[in-house]
Amino acid sequence: MGGQGESPQAATARFERELMEADRRFAAEVAAAAPSDRAAVWAGWFVPEGRQIVPGAVVQGTTSIASLMDGAFTSPGYSLEWDPDSATASADGTLGWTTGRYVNRREGPDGSVTAEGRYLSLWRRMPDGSWKVDLDTGVPDE
């Protein structure tokens, strides 16, 4: 996976930059999608057997992940924003993870509700060289 003549450290740094860029593209594509399409766009960033850990459950597979997220993404006033602040990649560039902050906003009975926290996404490199999410989870600050 490393470029010809590229040191292992340079290759790992490049893989980590790729992960940060992939995570930022993921966030931008979800934000740019119409609310009715956001769950499909979200799930499209996962490997087919990907997992999303939520309170009390591990949701597996892109169809199940899209179903899980559809209710949130189509709720009036709902938004989810995130930004990675670190990435780590395996030396061979096949696996990695990103962490960062997220902000989740929704309309509640008494107005807008905001939840903030940290997330962890585990990524796997696909045969075409792209990165896809293998597992995603978030932990609220409270």
Side-chain angles (χ1 to χ4, degrees), residues 35-138:
S36 60
D37 296 332
R38 286 187 184 140
V41 171
W42 171 274
W45 274 87
F46 283 74
V47 298
E49 68 281 8
R51 295 155 296 184
Q52 188 165 346
I53 299 175
V54 296
V58 176
V59 179
Q60 187 164 7
T62 55
T63 301
S64 297
I65 290 169
S67 294
L68 169 75
M69 296 303 289
D70 189 57
F73 282 129
T74 57
S75 296
Y78 182 85
S79 69
L80 174 61
E81 300 168 0
W82 70 95
D83 188 44
D85 55 28
S86 69
T88 302
S90 62
D92 66 357
T94 58
L95 297 171
W97 65 85
T98 54
T99 63
R101 304 261 331 140
Y102 72 84
V103 179
N104 179 331
R105 292 181 183 87
R106 62 182 173 81
E107 292 298 318
D110 299 324
S112 183
V113 177
T114 301
E116 297 183 36
R118 294 203 55 83
Y119 73 89
L120 168 69
S121 296
L122 302 179
W123 296 78
R124 187 181 334 155
R125 187 182 296 276
M126 299 290 92
D128 67 0
S130 66
W131 290 96
K132 293 274 190 171
V133 177
D134 195 304
L135 181 141
D136 181 74
T137 192

Side-chain angles (χ1 to χ4, degrees), residues 14-34:
R14 179 171 52 83
F15 301 146
E16 291 170 354
R17 284 190 305 274
E18 290 174 4
L19 283 164
M20 295 288 282
E21 291 167 7
D23 202 352
R24 288 185 177 120
R25 277 193 315 275
F26 178 20
E29 287 184 16
V30 169

